[in-house]
Amino acid sequence: MQGGGSHGAFTWGVLDRLLQDESIFIDAVSGTSAGALNAAVMACGWADGGREGARAALSAFWHEVAGQPACFGPAGGTRSALAPGADLALFNLNQNPFYAWFNAVMRQFSPQQFNPLGLDPLRRIIERHVQPAALLASPLRVFVTATQVRTGQPRIFDNRQGDGGRADLDIPALLASACLPQLFRPVEIEGEAYWDGGYSGNPALWPLIYRSQAMDLLLVRINALSRPSVPDTAEEIADRVNEITFNAGLLGELRAIAFVQKLVSEGRLDAGEYKNLRLHMVADDAGLAPLGASSKVNTSLVFLRQLHALGLAAADAWLAAHRRDVGVRGTLDIRKTFLGQAG
């Protein structure tokens, strides 16, 4: 589950639909930033009340996000007066004067300078919706990615005993995974500073390969792979650079998976020794196309509900088309979708 600020409400919709299908068993989830928050909240809700508990927990979390306009960035509650069903492009904040002013400030000052007290409204929300004991007891295994500032390498936090010999997924790890360096000071964990996991894995797939027995992997994608035009303003250029950067780690892992799939299909690798994963994807590029990067900080309830509805519909369409393929064959052609190659 990818990160993307308030666009994570699309993933909420996808999960809401999948959780209603009791024939779909979820073994493990990997998330970054908003995807990590969705994963942790869902796991806690599941621990307390099964599938319906997970659905209720996700709904409560996103409704509280809507009540806190600054958790993903400035001007988060803008345009809340728009009616349900409004054109999604209206939720972009490019023309909002406060948003433009804050972007200018961010180019001149660091978070340590403009936010010396380290205020983070997202922390309070996470603390109310993620219970560490429930997270550790959940039947869902959860992997969360953050980026170590000093080395640039990803660190995977796990709610089970991981490579470090212990469960290390907690609230600081979730905050680290969602820590955009332009907005928040680094989150320090065990003497190391961490930034948003999107820089190194959005999301990281390899924990699902090595630490889960499942052979079907479903990617919920909310970040655009391509744009119809070339950016020409400073803001548009910065936004596109961020999109490319946040997709780079995922594309690298998908290339490796595609390579293994090719070798297994050609009989050059033993299928019993190497995982020949069945890949699937839920996305809605057309539905999310009107949204620019500025909308990722918009947390108006009307907007979040529209994103939820888009995710619900996308998951419903995927289930209608591919439910019978789960456990049988993959439905995502990595080479065609991500690498621009056929076959």
Side-chain angles (χ1 to χ4, degrees), residues 17-37:
R17 179 62 185 90
L18 294 178
L19 288 166
Q20 295 177 57
D21 189 331
E22 295 192 3
S23 66
I24 297 285
F25 175 74
I26 303 174
D27 180 62
V29 287
S30 177
T32 293
S33 197
L37 303 181

Side-chain angles (χ1 to χ4, degrees), residues 27-29 141-144 155-168 205-214 275:
D27 180 62
V29 287
R141 189 160 189 183
V142 180
F143 306 108
V144 165
R155 174 171 171 178
I156 306 299
F157 295 90
D158 191 342
N159 70 333
R160 298 283 189 276
Q161 182 172 310
D163 292 340
R166 61 182 177 82
D168 55 6
L205 303 183
W206 61 265
L208 297 171
I209 298 172
Y210 293 109
R211 303 182 195 173
S212 169
Q213 298 302 311
K275 267 193 172 183

Side-chain angles (χ1 to χ4, degrees), residues 39-40 42-47 133-142 159-160:
M42 177 174 67
C44 289
W46 198 311
L135 189 57
L136 296 178
S138 178
L140 294 182
R141 189 160 189 183
V142 180
N159 70 333
R160 298 283 189 276

Side-chain angles (χ1 to χ4, degrees), residues 158-212:
D158 191 342
N159 70 333
R160 298 283 189 276
Q161 182 172 310
D163 292 340
R166 61 182 177 82
D168 55 6
L169 178 54
D170 54 15
I171 289 174
L174 293 171
L175 288 168
S177 184
C179 179
L180 287 172
Q182 301 90 344
L183 296 175
F184 306 109
R185 63 177 65 190
V187 176
E188 187 170 310
I189 300 173
E190 297 171 350
E192 288 286 355
Y194 291 91
W195 280 338
D196 195 293
Y199 295 109
S200 55
N202 192 24
L205 303 183
W206 61 265
L208 297 171
I209 298 172
Y210 293 109
R211 303 182 195 173
S212 169

Side-chain angles (χ1 to χ4, degrees), residues 63-286:
H63 277 80
E64 182 159 356
V65 165
Q68 177 50 258
C71 60
F72 292 127
T78 301
R79 303 186 187 274
S80 58
L82 288 171
D87 181 358
L88 281 184
L90 297 175
F91 292 97
N92 291 318
L93 301 176
N94 305 66
Q95 304 304 315
N96 182 289
F98 179 72
Y99 179 81
W101 171 81
F102 193 84
N103 273 341
V105 169
M106 287 194 298
R107 296 190 187 101
Q108 299 296 324
F109 301 97
S110 71
Q112 289 87 338
Q113 292 172 310
F114 68 73
N115 185 13
L117 298 179
L119 300 177
D120 186 353
L122 188 58
R123 174 185 286 274
R124 296 192 296 274
I125 296 176
I126 295 174
E127 288 174 343
R128 281 192 286 271
H129 293 271
V130 175
Q131 302 78 39
L135 189 57
L136 296 178
S138 178
L140 294 182
R141 189 160 189 183
V142 180
F143 306 108
V144 165
T145 307
T147 303
Q148 192 179 93
V149 177
R150 188 174 54 82
T151 65
Q153 295 298 308
R155 174 171 171 178
I156 306 299
F157 295 90
D158 191 342
N159 70 333
R160 298 283 189 276
Q161 182 172 310
D163 292 340
R166 61 182 177 82
D168 55 6
L169 178 54
D170 54 15
I171 289 174
L174 293 171
L175 288 168
S177 184
C179 179
L180 287 172
Q182 301 90 344
L183 296 175
F184 306 109
R185 63 177 65 190
V187 176
E188 187 170 310
I189 300 173
E190 297 171 350
E192 288 286 355
Y194 291 91
W195 280 338
D196 195 293
Y199 295 109
S200 55
N202 192 24
L205 303 183
W206 61 265
L208 297 171
I209 298 172
Y210 293 109
R211 303 182 195 173
S212 169
Q213 298 302 311
M215 294 295 291
D216 287 85
L217 191 156
L218 174 66
L219 172 66
V220 183
R221 183 170 59 78
I222 58 177
N223 288 328
L225 291 174
S226 61
R227 291 289 182 182
S229 60
V230 176
D232 55 9
T233 68
E235 182 180 354
E236 290 173 347
I237 292 169
D239 290 344
R240 187 58 184 148
V241 167
N242 277 335
E243 283 183 335
I244 292 170
T245 302
F246 272 53
N247 279 328
L250 174 64
L251 289 173
E253 287 196 85
L254 288 172
R255 286 191 185 95
I257 291 173
F259 185 57
V260 170
Q261 288 179 329
K262 182 174 184 293
L263 295 180
V264 169
S265 66
E266 293 174 351
R268 296 163 66 184
L269 286 179
D270 183 356
E273 191 173 343
Y274 291 86
K275 267 193 172 183
N276 190 11
L277 292 171
R278 296 181 287 266
L279 273 293
H280 313 274
M281 182 176 72
V282 174
D284 186 358
D285 286 347

Side-chain angles (χ1 to χ4, degrees), residues 216 278 280 318 321-331:
D216 287 85
R278 296 181 287 266
H280 313 274
W318 179 81
H322 300 301
R323 175 63 191 86
R324 294 182 179 180
D325 294 314
V326 176
V328 179
R329 64 182 65 85
T331 59

